[in-house]
Amino acid sequence: MKMKQFYMFTLVVLLTVGVPVWSGGNSWEAEAVASTAANEPPAAENDIVTVPASSAQPAAIQADNVRRVQMSHADLEWVPLFASRAADQSAITKTAGFVNRLLKNAKPSTEQLVGEDAFFATSVDVMLTDGTDIYLQFKDSKHVLIHIGEDKYIAQDATALKDFYELLAVSPQTDISTLKPVIGQTVRITGNDASNYEGTVRIFIETSGSSGGYMTAKGVDYPSKRALLVHTAPYSEARYDFQFTMPAYGEAIDGTFKPIAPGTYDLYIDTGSRTTIRSVMVAPAAAPTLAINGVTVNDPALAPIVSNGVMLLPMRALAESFGWYVRWDAAYKAAFVSTQPDTQGINLGKGAALSLWVNGKKLTGANAKPVIVKGRVYLPLRATAEAFGFQLTWTPSVRGALLVFMPQLLDEGVYAGEAKKLAAAKLLNGYVKAMNGRDAAALGRLFVKNGTPAQSFEIIGQRFITGVRSVTFEDRPGGALLAYVTFSYLFDQHGNKSGTTGIVFMQENGEWKIADVD
């Protein structure tokens, strides 16, 4: 049977059982399905090959032993069922019943679909908890080929195809709360179109033009060199539901942050195996926004204000967010900010002028003059960046300011005389950089073989480590070294400002590596 004839026959079957078929309409126009070698149509046509026939009758299965069910037709896939998901239990039970009905009538077969016949056949893949894979291929509306490992069978059932379509006819889809996102406002994205049990959803925006996949040094796939990464979220059981603030800046393929000027973009929702594309109109921010390392600041205590055309940032809230120490001397109207506990040994002299001191140094100059607004000390944006050592970007077109910080790391020179601790300090500093940079490749090089950090990038969300506040080392049996490390955090999803982690170091092939992170 020729390709076109077979495809038309399959469409008739689908329409007969009431399944919506891709017609190129609006629901599919914006969706790009990631193809793999497994579902590309092979070049051969009209081929049926023979294989050795099976002799044993296949055994029935139990619904409790089903781990996952996945149905597909050509390059179309349906939402998989998972045993771990309570909402799927009823459908899994019915699936087991359908499969057992086919197995009961199964006869050994030498048939095997290949080429276009295999590509356009509706298939149902039933994976069991013991690793067994029962693969069903519907040769037509009445005959199904059954693959169980190396064993091949054929069964005749006039309603099985219709039964599976009625049970599993939920097409994958993705929804976005608005096609006109406003910088600084919340966007919600939901979907059930991921192919794997769990993984990562990445949101990109891209201006129009030719596209081609590019992988960064961190191992992240970008849809093009023009694309900007605006958010990352986890998914589980092939489904996701998350919110994010539309940022004024996105991460470019080279790791830098670029402004997202108001205008029309393609928004990519990428699950790694499937990509949905929507055309969106990004609107300018309603008020000035502040982003730190690309993450929009939503904390009201950190909200910037504009006075006489100058953006001002709240000193205490900003300093405390980075784990710095803040002290206010009302008698001298002086604010002190330091990375270490304040010794209060500064001679302020006389005078009542408002002043700001960072690490014992008084900020001076007309553009560094602090002001008090509603009882809070504010400092101009540029002076803030200089005082705190931030890299500053101000983009009037997006009404946004971007501050990029480098975390406060361990002073490796302190451990110059202790080789083991020096190696650990270097690994700790590398760990902080890799975690903040979401650099899986760099992170992997720090660990022993098969070692992983306790928390993945998806779990920590938008959290950054702003610095290493303290560390104590303990020798462990076998020459290993244990470090109790207190990190200060920014944007922790649970509101934690700091946390203490146990990290074990050991030698592997003569080189110190991280063995475990608790």
Side-chain angles (χ1 to χ4, degrees):
M1 185 182 295
K2 294 298 182 181
M3 174 180 176
K4 184 174 182 180
Q5 292 173 324
F6 192 91
Y7 189 53
M8 291 303 296
F9 169 79
T10 308
L11 292 180
V12 171
V13 173
L14 297 180
L15 292 174
T16 300
V17 298
V19 178
V21 182
W22 176 32
S23 63
N26 293 336
S27 62
W28 286 86
E29 284 178 350
E31 193 166 298
V33 181
S35 296
T36 65
N39 61 20
E40 287 289 347
E45 296 186 11
N46 312 320
D47 294 330
I48 295 181
V49 298
T50 59
V51 294
S54 306
S55 57
Q57 184 71 19
I61 65 172
Q62 301 295 320
D64 291 344
N65 293 332
V66 176
R67 179 171 60 89
R68 172 176 171 169
V69 179
Q70 175 71 66
M71 186 167 77
S72 62
H73 172 79
D75 60 354
L76 306 182
E77 292 184 352
W78 277 255
V79 179
L81 304 176
F82 293 99
S84 60
R85 189 169 181 266
D88 292 342
Q89 294 304 311
S90 175
I92 286 178
T93 299
K94 292 179 180 179
T95 296
F98 296 160
V99 171
N100 286 335
R101 194 174 77 202
L102 292 170
L103 296 179
K104 183 178 180 181
N105 298 321
K107 297 179 180 179
S109 173
T110 59
E111 289 191 48
Q112 180 174 332
L113 299 180
V114 296
E116 295 170 0
D117 291 340
F119 178 71
F120 287 109
T122 297
S123 65
V124 180
D125 195 4
V126 181
M127 290 152 275
L128 306 184
T129 54
D130 64 358
T132 301
D133 199 3
I134 301 176
Y135 187 66
L136 311 177
Q137 280 184 305
F138 284 88
K139 179 181 176 182
D140 52 44
S141 62
K142 295 182 179 180
H143 298 87
V144 57
L145 303 181
I146 305 171
H147 306 252
I148 307 176
E150 298 297 323
D151 297 328
K152 309 290 188 299
Y153 306 89
I154 189 169
Q156 182 173 337
D157 192 308
T159 65
L161 181 61
K162 179 176 182 294
D163 291 340
F164 275 115
Y165 270 118
E166 289 180 346
L167 179 64
L168 304 175
V170 178
S171 298
Q173 59 184 8
T174 300
D175 294 314
I176 180 171
S177 60
T178 177
L179 296 179
K180 296 182 179 179
V182 178
I183 293 174
Q185 295 188 5
T186 299
V187 178
R188 180 183 179 186
I189 294 180
T190 59
N192 56 10
D193 61 341
S195 296
N196 298 320
Y197 177 79
E198 61 184 9
T200 301
V201 184
R202 290 186 173 89
I203 310 300
F204 298 91
I205 65 166
E206 177 192 62
T207 54
S208 60
S210 60
S211 295
Y214 293 89
M215 180 172 288
T216 69
K218 299 178 184 179
V220 177
D221 284 315
Y222 272 59
S224 77
K225 291 184 177 180
R226 304 182 314 281
L228 299 177
L229 178 63
V230 297
H231 189 71
T232 302
Y235 72 77
S236 180
E237 296 174 334
R239 295 160 172 84
Y240 47 89
D241 185 346
F242 59 89
Q243 296 184 142
F244 71 98
T245 301
M246 187 65 199
Y249 298 86
E251 185 176 353
I253 196 169
D254 62 359
T256 61
F257 294 99
K258 307 294 185 184
I260 303 172
T264 301
Y265 295 88
D266 285 334
L267 185 141
Y268 286 72
I269 304 169
D270 184 6
T271 64
S273 58
R274 189 183 185 99
T275 301
T276 299
I277 307 172
R278 297 285 188 268
S279 179
V280 297
M281 176 69 74
V282 177
T289 62
L290 171 66
I292 300 178
N293 283 28
V295 178
T296 302
V297 175
N298 292 317
D299 185 353
L302 280 169
I305 63 174
V306 176
S307 177
N308 297 324
V310 178
M311 179 179 279
L312 305 172
L313 297 179
M315 283 300 91
R316 178 178 289 275
L318 188 64
E320 290 181 345
S321 294
F322 281 85
W324 287 18
Y325 300 89
V326 181
R327 180 172 61 88
W328 168 250
D329 189 324
Y332 290 93
K333 293 184 179 180
F336 298 88
V337 179
S338 59
T339 56
Q340 301 297 327
D342 190 359
T343 61
Q344 303 185 27
I346 299 174
N347 182 9
L348 299 177
K350 297 182 179 180
L354 182 64
S355 62
L356 178 69
W357 301 71
V358 176
N359 284 337
K361 181 180 179 181
K362 181 180 179 180
L363 300 189
T364 59
N367 295 327
K369 183 179 180 181
V371 297
I372 296 179
V373 179
K374 296 182 178 180
R376 303 175 70 191
V377 178
Y378 285 80
L379 190 69
L381 177 64
R382 190 163 300 280
T384 301
E386 293 174 357
F388 287 86
F390 296 135
Q391 176 186 330
L392 168 67
T393 301
W394 163 249
T395 310
S397 61
V398 299
R399 304 188 70 190
L402 170 68
L403 296 177
V404 176
F405 75 91
M406 295 299 294
Q408 182 183 357
L409 302 176
L410 289 177
D411 181 357
E412 297 173 5
V414 173
Y415 307 99
E418 302 176 85
K420 183 187 295 188
K421 292 182 179 180
L422 176 59
K426 290 181 177 180
L427 287 168
L428 272 175
N429 287 342
Y431 177 82
V432 172
K433 293 176 182 177
M435 291 296 287
N436 279 4
R438 306 302 192 257
D439 192 335
L443 189 65
R445 291 192 290 269
L446 302 175
F447 280 78
V448 296
K449 185 178 180 180
N450 299 324
T452 57
Q455 293 183 314
S456 66
F457 297 146
E458 293 78 19
I459 293 176
I460 65 175
Q462 296 179 319
R463 187 182 77 188
F464 291 107
I465 298 173
T466 60
V468 182
R469 303 196 70 168
S470 65
V471 59
T472 58
F473 292 104
E474 290 182 6
D475 287 321
R476 306 297 290 174
L481 185 65
L482 170 64
Y484 290 103
V485 189
T486 299
F487 296 116
S488 53
Y489 297 135
L490 179 66
F491 301 137
D492 182 83
Q493 58 186 337
H494 303 295
N496 297 322
K497 299 295 185 182
S498 65
T500 300
T501 300
I503 301 179
V504 178
F505 305 89
M506 62 179 293
Q507 284 190 311
E508 181 180 65
N509 299 324
E511 184 180 3
W512 282 98
K513 296 281 188 177
I514 299 176
D516 186 33
V517 177
D518 184 6

